[in-house]
Amino acid sequence: MTHGLQRDQNGGLLPGAPVGLVVGGSLTQGVEVRLDGAATVEDIKAGTFLTIQGGRQRYFGVVTDIALGSSDPRMKHTPPQPGEDFLVQVLSGIVAYGAVTVMPSVTLPSVLGDEESPPPAKTIPPHFARAYTAAPRDVELVFGREDENHFWIGNPLDMETKLCLDLDKLVQRSIGIFGKSGTGKTFLTRLLLVGILQRNRASSIIFDMHSEYGWSGQDADRRRVVKGLKQLFPSQVSTFTLDEASSRRRGSPVDEVVGISYGDVEPEDLLTLRETLNLSEVAAGAGFNLERKFGPGKWLREFLARQGQDDVKELAEDVGINQQALLTLHRRLSQLTRYEFFTDQAPKDAAVQIIEHAEKGRHVALEFGRYGNDPTAYVLVSTLLCRRIHKRYIDLKEQAAGGGGREPRPLVLVIEEAHKFLSPAIASQTIFGIIARELRKYNVTLMVIDQRPAAIDSEVMSQLGTLLTCRLDNEKDVEAVLAGTPGARQLRTVLSRLESRQQALLFGDALPMPVVVRTREYGSEGSYAELGRKAGLQPDAHQGETAAQRLEREIKELF
Amino acid sequence: MLSPEIKGAVRLGEVVKSASTVCTVQCYQLEGAPPLGSFVRAGGGPATATADAVYGVVAAISAEPLEPGRPVLARGEAAVSEEEVYRSSPQLARLLTSRFEMLLIGRQAREGFQAALPPVPPRIHTFVYGCTKEEIVGCTERLGFLPLLLDAGSLASAEVVAACLRTAAEVYPDRGQFLLRAGRALAGELSGDLPALNSILRRIIL
């Protein structure tokens, strides 16, 4: 018997150990692998990688379901009795067997060229093809080896292999990070940002609601403070703050203090705030009337300067809006006057400063300090700034297209509580909706972080290129995340079985196939050393050369 | 009690009725039938199996009058013991005989035991021997004989199959491991007939 040979000291199956045979299945539902005597259902978990050796090619897939089968339906009615160990031993694996459903995602060629990535599986292995546990080399073939463009995000379940994301593909389209509270979204986001930073693939602007990305953050589980991006990459990260006092208290070195002028607020921003401020459609639209009356840049200051109900009612008459609606708007907007960062004329234009930093290749974390707990402040400031950034990038891109400048550097805008900006009712009108839908063309993408993906507009969700999702319990949220994804039914099983911490399901552009990872450690001294180090990657001196150039070089080297 | 084949290749009797899957063997001795499930060989000499030898498993042992028309009568009313019945009527050993069915499980080929039926059944009067340990190992180490044995229908009762595997297990150093292997092979054959399988398995470990 070979049982002992295929297991490690903990009893787990070794990489490359045979587990069973293909006995059925389909391309859409996945293939059914019947486990043979050596492997039991307890050796395999949902999300485990298997390879299947077909007649002409090798398939790489993920286990999406695990079942107990029986060759005789009567077994349920006459199972072996307690003490009949011999019967149990004999029947197990033959009459009573385990079966797993494997979703073959990619095919592995026997020899892989340097630049090739394995093609998606368009067919399935034949009957009786043997399935094996995946070896580290297989995982590397599929997900890429850690290099200039591949960032190690975590490890596959039960494997020590590094699982990598394709960073170029990651920043090409918007990214979604989901998971219910306390499942590790923030850590996952930090890791992704570190990846983007390390490899210098894009600039990012982080609307840091709870001030946990820029300088330092909290690890609530271990009750410790973890380093933020600026501590890891001091020369590449700028921290901006809305609340200077809070930043100073936390010892965060601030590069710029952000002030917002009343004049920066535009009527369409009220549409974004509609849900946050609980405004009626009429009230939210009143900004346009006010702007017509007072002029662009002045309307908000003038409006808020009105004191008392009669004054506002009179104004309502004047601009032709329902009195009650305008009164409500006035009352709700009055809270803006309590924000210390709101001034008649901010000393510096925050948007311009942020864009300058981003264009220099720096990453900007905007800390909200005490305003982080105020959704209105968060939504309003993010919207104002992003609108300006949006305009700037469109200009830059158009200049580049006209030959008058270089392509703007890819930019990732990081927003939390994304459903406040991107709910179905407002997504079509707000700047974030526009960015999510079309700004990819202008090298700007979003990284949306949320615990309620179901509350985000489905059109926006469908624009997300790569999704990283920690555990979600709510059915609707699971559905929203997986909508339109091939194999959604199988992924649902995997998603609902994620552990509540440090595990995430990743799928989309940056990966050749969906995968569950145990996210990489963040927070120990060792992890900082690894994450902060840009070296360690072997720079390829010959990167970028064509096949012909390479051939020529190799010939020269040979002779 | 040790089976005769464990003691060596003892000549037990002759084939008196022959068919492709089952032969009837008449024993030389009235009490000379091997135990149920034993391995026997028809053909070849006492020491060697020739190419036309066939192997079988013992089933359906019977002791009966030689002439079907002469029923056996009860004789022991006045006797003190059963032995005395035989002693007082020495002709009984000549009038009665033992027979058993030999369920064919394979044949001797050039390369050794082959789990397949012989092209033609053994000739009538072929000598039948009990199998040696080596022969039992030859027959059972690959377990290919099980399908043939199970195909023998009602003659291969659960009892016969279980007895046969128990007998075979005795010649292996690790009896339990052989039985587990055999049990799993059996489960493969009977995977669609769980009651039959369970019935055999429960008898194996008796």
Side-chain angles (χ1 to χ4, degrees):
Chain A
M1 301 285 257
T2 50
H3 289 210
L5 296 176
Q6 294 140 355
R7 293 180 184 275
D8 57 22
Q9 64 237 37
N10 303 323
L13 288 175
L14 287 174
V19 293
L21 297 178
V22 171
V23 291
S26 72
L27 186 61
T28 49
Q29 307 291 315
V31 296
E32 192 188 343
V33 172
R34 180 175 160 156
L35 302 181
D36 60 18
T40 72
V41 280
E42 287 177 309
D43 290 319
I44 304 219
K45 295 179 182 157
T48 300
F49 290 132
L50 297 182
T51 61
I52 302 175
Q53 182 63 55
R56 265 174 290 170
Q57 46 196 359
R58 217 148 60 88
Y59 300 78
F60 186 91
V62 62
V63 172
T64 54
D65 198 9
I66 302 171
L68 293 174
S70 161
S71 62
D72 189 330
R74 289 173 288 189
M75 194 198 64
K76 284 183 207 167
H77 311 298
T78 53
Q81 299 303 305
E84 291 188 318
D85 296 343
F86 178 66
L87 259 72
V88 172
Q89 279 180 293
V90 168
L91 299 182
S92 301
I94 299 176
V95 175
Y97 55 86
V100 297
T101 306
V102 183
M103 211 61 198
S105 302
V106 294
T107 50
L108 299 170
S110 42
V111 181
L112 194 71
D114 291 346
E115 290 89 24
E116 284 174 70
S117 60
K122 295 203 172 68
T123 181
I124 53 174
H127 268 109
F128 316 126
R130 267 211 93 80
Y132 303 85
T133 49
R137 165 113 183 97
D138 300 322
V139 177
E140 269 182 13
L141 273 177
V142 174
F143 293 97
R145 189 182 296 220
E146 192 180 18
D147 61 16
E148 192 53 43
N149 188 40
H150 288 91
F151 176 67
W152 167 31
I153 185 83
N155 307 73
L157 295 184
D158 303 326
M159 289 180 90
E160 292 309 315
T161 321
K162 292 177 177 178
L163 198 136
C164 300
L165 287 177
D166 184 327
L167 288 171
D168 273 340
K169 288 186 179 156
L170 181 75
V171 298
Q172 261 169 21
R173 287 177 64 192
S174 293
I175 304 161
I177 299 171
F178 304 111
K180 58 177 196 160
S181 179
T183 49
K185 292 190 296 292
T186 310
F187 277 84
L188 201 53
T189 310
R190 271 195 205 107
L191 277 175
L192 277 189
L193 290 169
V194 165
I196 294 170
L197 255 160
Q198 247 189 12
R199 314 303 211 262
N200 208 13
R201 277 297 184 270
S203 290
S204 56
I205 297 175
I206 306 153
F207 294 97
D208 191 353
M209 190 181 229
H210 301 297
S211 309
E212 51 197 357
Y213 297 107
W215 179 246
S216 62
Q218 290 289 327
D219 182 349
D221 288 345
R222 297 193 186 147
R223 295 172 189 276
R224 64 178 176 184
V225 176
V226 295
K227 289 184 181 178
L229 298 173
K230 177 128 182 158
Q231 292 193 54
L232 291 175
F233 302 95
S235 63
Q236 284 174 274
V237 179
S238 308
T239 40
F240 283 45
T241 186
L242 276 180
D243 182 357
E244 197 180 0
S246 152
S247 295
R248 288 208 189 292
R249 268 198 306 279
R250 292 182 305 107
S252 165
V254 172
D255 291 292
E256 300 286 350
V257 179
V258 171
I260 304 280
S261 309
Y262 284 100
D264 291 338
V265 182
E266 293 187 12
E268 65 198 61
D269 296 332
L270 298 189
L271 300 176
T272 316
L273 287 171
R274 224 185 100 188
E275 292 199 349
T276 322
L277 290 179
N278 192 18
L279 296 173
S280 69
E281 208 172 335
V282 177
F288 295 100
N289 302 48
L290 294 169
E291 191 189 37
R292 259 199 308 281
K293 161 104 180 132
F294 297 116
K298 293 185 216 144
W299 65 275
L300 182 62
R301 194 78 201 99
E302 293 285 342
F303 178 50
L304 292 178
R306 300 283 160 133
Q307 299 291 331
Q309 286 205 7
D310 294 340
D311 219 1
V312 177
K313 280 181 182 166
E314 196 180 303
L315 179 63
E317 290 278 298
D318 197 6
V319 296
I321 291 178
N322 177 293
Q323 288 185 349
Q324 211 50 48
L326 202 66
L327 271 172
T328 315
L329 181 66
H330 190 267
R331 203 166 47 247
R332 305 261 159 87
L333 284 183
S334 293
Q335 63 174 283
L336 301 189
T337 57
R338 291 199 302 272
Y339 298 154
E340 280 173 22
F341 59 83
F342 248 113
T343 53
D344 281 331
Q345 188 57 54
K348 290 177 187 167
D349 188 330
V352 169
Q353 284 181 307
I354 290 177
I355 292 168
E356 274 174 8
H357 280 253
E359 281 178 1
K360 282 185 207 151
R362 292 174 69 85
H363 303 257
V364 179
L366 173 56
E367 298 186 338
F368 277 71
R370 65 175 185 275
Y371 302 111
N373 295 323
D374 183 334
T376 309
Y378 187 71
V379 172
L380 184 61
V381 172
S382 319
T383 307
L384 288 178
L385 295 176
C386 284
R387 195 182 49 241
R388 301 282 300 281
I389 295 164
H390 171 214
K391 278 187 188 142
R392 172 73 186 154
Y393 263 71
I394 291 180
D395 289 348
L396 284 174
K397 185 78 182 184
E398 282 171 354
Q399 278 171 20
R406 59 183 175 80
E407 282 272 317
R409 184 178 157 79
L411 179 68
V412 181
L413 300 173
V414 184
I415 52 168
E416 297 180 81
E417 300 282 335
H419 66 269
K420 292 195 194 304
F421 308 87
L422 297 167
S423 72
I426 59 171
S428 59
Q429 300 155 6
T430 67
I431 187 67
F432 287 101
I434 295 168
I435 293 175
R437 280 195 306 275
E438 63 188 46
L439 222 59
R440 186 174 66 87
K441 289 180 244 166
Y442 302 103
N443 290 8
V444 181
T445 52
L446 288 181
M447 186 186 287
V448 295
I449 306 163
D450 208 312
Q451 46 179 305
R452 291 302 323 275
I456 296 177
D457 187 33
S458 60
E459 202 189 327
V460 173
M461 287 296 287
S462 70
Q463 293 297 327
L464 299 177
T466 305
L467 285 99
L468 301 90
T469 165
C470 303
R471 182 156 162 182
L472 288 168
D473 285 343
N474 187 296
E475 268 300 298
K476 283 186 183 162
D477 289 329
V478 173
E479 215 163 275
V481 166
L482 298 178
T485 312
R489 195 180 59 85
Q490 288 84 357
L491 289 180
R492 179 186 296 262
T493 324
V494 175
L495 186 51
S496 59
R497 297 288 182 278
L498 286 182
E499 281 173 22
S500 57
R501 278 182 217 302
Q502 250 208 320
Q503 278 195 0
L505 171 68
L506 279 49
F507 60 97
D509 294 352
L511 301 125
M513 58 180 284
V515 56
V516 175
V517 297
R518 198 172 64 247
T519 43
R520 183 175 171 177
E521 201 211 344
Y522 186 105
S524 67
E525 282 308 317
S527 69
Y528 293 143
E530 276 189 346
L531 289 166
R533 183 180 48 183
K534 287 177 82 180
L537 304 167
Q538 299 300 326
D540 185 358
H542 310 296
Q543 219 174 19
E545 66 184 356
T546 62
Q549 285 168 334
R550 179 177 163 188
L551 188 66
E552 202 174 320
R553 174 174 58 77
E554 284 175 355
I555 290 171
K556 273 187 191 158
E557 283 170 4
L558 268 174
F559 305 105
Chain B
M1 187 188 102
L2 281 176
S3 315
E5 65 272 15
I6 306 274
K7 290 186 289 189
V10 178
R11 199 163 97 192
L12 304 166
E14 289 171 24
V15 173
V16 293
K17 189 175 163 194
S18 187
S20 283
T21 57
V22 59
C23 298
T24 306
V25 179
Q26 184 179 344
C27 302
Y28 295 132
Q29 304 295 322
L30 175 55
E31 311 260 322
L36 206 63
S38 305
F39 290 84
V40 290
R41 163 165 57 80
T48 52
T50 52
D52 60 347
V54 296
Y55 289 93
V57 169
V58 174
I61 304 167
S62 60
E64 53 198 355
L66 272 171
E67 289 183 40
R70 291 184 62 178
V72 180
L73 303 173
R75 293 166 181 271
E77 196 176 7
V80 178
S81 69
E82 289 167 17
E83 297 308 316
E84 195 189 323
V85 176
Y86 283 91
R87 269 203 307 277
S88 59
S89 309
Q91 77 283 9
L92 282 180
R94 296 286 168 198
L95 296 174
L96 299 174
T97 186
S98 285
R99 294 190 176 95
F100 64 85
E101 302 297 326
M102 173 184 176
L103 310 179
L104 303 193
I105 57 163
R107 63 185 186 208
Q108 183 66 34
R110 214 173 304 154
E111 58 276 14
F113 175 80
Q114 199 175 52
L117 293 176
V120 289
R123 267 194 320 171
I124 301 289
H125 294 302
T126 303
F127 292 165
V128 174
Y129 302 88
C131 287
T132 61
K133 274 187 184 182
E134 290 70 30
E135 284 178 312
I136 296 178
V137 171
C139 292
T140 56
E141 63 184 345
R142 297 175 69 173
L143 297 163
F145 72 98
L146 279 174
L148 280 175
L149 182 60
L150 294 169
D151 275 352
S154 61
L155 281 173
S157 62
E159 202 59 66
V160 171
V161 178
C164 154
L165 292 176
R166 281 201 309 265
T167 306
E170 296 300 332
V171 302
Y172 286 89
D174 188 344
R175 179 177 183 274
Q177 207 244 319
F178 171 80
L179 286 180
L180 181 60
R181 196 159 63 84
R184 293 176 73 84
L186 204 57
E189 293 300 322
L190 291 174
S191 60
D193 188 359
L194 195 66
L197 175 63
N198 280 346
S199 167
I200 298 174
L201 293 177
R202 291 198 169 104
R203 285 173 164 83
I204 286 181
I205 47 168
L206 275 180

